[in-house]
Amino acid sequence: AVVSTQSTGYKGRKMTQKKYRDLEQSGKESGYAWKVRTSKGIHYVDGSSYRSSNWLRFINCARGQCEENVMVRVYKGVVQYYSYKPIPIGTELLLFYGDEYFTDLGYEICRVEP
Protein backbone atom coordinates (compact mmCIF):
# COMPACT_ATOMS: atom_id res chain seq x y z
CA ALA A 1 0.00 0.00 0.00
CA VAL A 2 1.17 3.53 -0.74
CA VAL A 3 0.87 6.01 2.09
CA SER A 4 0.65 9.66 1.09
CA THR A 5 2.54 12.21 3.13
CA GLN A 6 1.38 15.80 2.96
CA SER A 7 3.33 18.96 3.72
CA THR A 8 2.16 21.87 5.83
CA GLY A 9 2.01 24.12 2.79
CA TYR A 10 4.25 26.25 0.63
CA LYS A 11 5.13 29.44 2.47
CA GLY A 12 6.04 32.82 1.13
CA ARG A 13 4.96 36.37 0.56
CA LYS A 14 1.47 36.72 -0.91
CA MET A 15 1.28 39.11 -3.85
CA THR A 16 -1.29 40.27 -6.35
CA GLN A 17 -1.31 39.16 -9.95
CA LYS A 18 -0.38 42.71 -11.01
CA LYS A 19 2.65 42.80 -8.67
CA TYR A 20 3.83 39.43 -10.01
CA ARG A 21 3.45 40.55 -13.64
CA ASP A 22 5.41 43.72 -12.86
CA LEU A 23 8.23 41.56 -11.46
CA GLU A 24 8.14 39.35 -14.57
CA GLN A 25 8.30 42.32 -16.93
CA SER A 26 11.22 43.85 -15.03
CA GLY A 27 13.12 40.52 -15.05
CA LYS A 28 13.02 40.29 -11.25
CA GLU A 29 10.69 37.29 -10.89
CA SER A 30 12.40 34.80 -8.61
CA GLY A 31 11.25 31.44 -9.97
CA TYR A 32 9.96 30.51 -6.49
CA ALA A 33 6.35 31.63 -6.93
CA TRP A 34 3.16 29.62 -7.19
CA LYS A 35 0.06 30.94 -8.91
CA VAL A 36 -2.99 30.29 -6.71
CA ARG A 37 -6.58 30.40 -7.97
CA THR A 38 -9.33 30.69 -5.37
CA SER A 39 -12.97 31.76 -5.40
CA LYS A 40 -11.68 35.26 -4.53
CA GLY A 41 -9.41 35.45 -7.58
CA ILE A 42 -5.74 34.88 -8.41
CA HIS A 43 -2.73 35.65 -6.26
CA TYR A 44 0.86 34.41 -6.04
CA VAL A 45 2.89 32.98 -3.18
CA ASP A 46 6.54 33.98 -3.59
CA GLY A 47 8.94 31.73 -1.69
CA SER A 48 12.13 33.53 -2.72
CA SER A 49 12.93 34.92 0.74
CA TYR A 50 14.44 32.38 3.13
CA ARG A 51 12.93 34.41 5.99
CA SER A 52 9.32 34.03 4.88
CA SER A 53 9.46 30.69 3.05
CA ASN A 54 10.10 27.05 3.96
CA TRP A 55 11.97 24.03 2.63
CA LEU A 56 9.32 23.31 -0.02
CA ARG A 57 10.84 25.98 -2.26
CA PHE A 58 13.74 23.61 -2.90
CA ILE A 59 11.64 20.90 -4.56
CA ASN A 60 12.91 20.88 -8.14
CA CYS A 61 11.33 20.26 -11.51
CA ALA A 62 11.24 16.70 -12.82
CA ARG A 63 12.04 16.18 -16.51
CA GLY A 64 8.57 14.67 -16.96
CA GLN A 65 5.96 12.69 -15.12
CA CYS A 66 8.26 9.67 -15.35
CA GLU A 67 10.58 11.27 -12.74
CA GLU A 68 7.94 12.91 -10.57
CA ASN A 69 7.65 11.63 -7.00
CA VAL A 70 5.71 14.53 -5.48
CA MET A 71 2.45 16.16 -6.54
CA VAL A 72 0.92 19.50 -5.64
CA ARG A 73 -2.58 20.76 -5.01
CA VAL A 74 -4.20 23.95 -3.82
CA TYR A 75 -6.53 23.23 -0.92
CA LYS A 76 -8.41 26.08 0.73
CA GLY A 77 -5.96 28.56 -0.78
CA VAL A 78 -2.84 26.71 0.48
CA VAL A 79 -0.32 25.14 -1.93
CA GLN A 80 0.33 21.64 -0.59
CA TYR A 81 2.88 19.09 -1.74
CA TYR A 82 2.34 15.40 -1.12
CA SER A 83 3.96 12.12 -2.00
CA TYR A 84 1.89 9.51 -3.76
CA LYS A 85 4.43 6.70 -3.81
CA PRO A 86 7.26 5.52 -1.56
CA ILE A 87 10.35 7.74 -1.80
CA PRO A 88 13.63 6.28 -0.52
CA ILE A 89 15.61 8.32 1.99
CA GLY A 90 18.16 10.51 0.20
CA THR A 91 16.10 10.78 -3.00
CA GLU A 92 15.58 14.26 -4.44
CA LEU A 93 11.96 15.41 -4.35
CA LEU A 94 10.79 16.23 -7.87
CA LEU A 95 7.59 17.75 -9.22
CA PHE A 96 6.75 18.06 -12.92
CA TYR A 97 5.80 21.71 -13.48
CA GLY A 98 4.26 21.02 -16.89
CA ASP A 99 5.29 20.80 -20.53
CA GLU A 100 5.47 24.55 -21.17
CA TYR A 101 7.68 25.34 -18.18
CA PHE A 102 10.19 22.63 -19.03
CA THR A 103 10.39 23.19 -22.79
CA ASP A 104 10.81 26.96 -22.22
CA LEU A 105 14.06 26.02 -20.46
CA GLY A 106 15.16 24.16 -23.61
CA TYR A 107 14.86 20.61 -22.28
CA GLU A 108 13.21 17.53 -23.69
CA ILE A 109 10.43 15.96 -21.66
CA CYS A 110 10.75 12.32 -20.68
CA ARG A 111 7.61 10.37 -21.46
CA VAL A 112 6.22 7.42 -19.57
CA GLU A 113 6.12 4.40 -21.85
CA PRO A 114 2.63 2.83 -22.13
Side-chain angles (χ1 to χ4, degrees), residues 9-26:
Y10 190 83
K11 295 189 189 234
R13 183 174 56 118
K14 187 175 175 179
M15 66 176 66
T16 66
Q17 191 169 11
K18 181 185 181 327
K19 173 70 174 169
Y20 181 78
R21 286 191 177 146
D22 290 347
L23 288 172
E24 275 187 316
Q25 290 175 353
S26 67

Side-chain angles (χ1 to χ4, degrees), residues 41-108:
I42 295 173
H43 69 272
Y44 286 79
V45 178
D46 180 10
S48 62
S49 169
Y50 72 92
R51 292 177 188 257
S52 63
S53 65
N54 60 10
W55 65 272
L56 293 172
R57 73 187 187 135
F58 296 113
I59 293 178
N60 287 315
C61 186
R63 291 177 288 186
Q65 291 176 332
C66 59
E67 283 188 339
E68 183 176 62
N69 56 19
V70 174
M71 295 184 85
V72 70
R73 71 177 181 174
V74 176
Y75 181 70
K76 295 185 178 180
V78 176
V79 178
Q80 297 177 330
Y81 289 77
Y82 61 97
S83 63
Y84 62 95
K85 62 184 178 181
I87 303 172
I89 293 172
T91 301
E92 182 176 16
L93 300 177
L94 298 169
L95 171 70
F96 184 55
Y97 298 166
D99 291 353
E100 184 178 332
Y101 175 87
F102 207 73
T103 55
D104 283 351
L105 295 175
Y107 295 104
E108 287 187 35

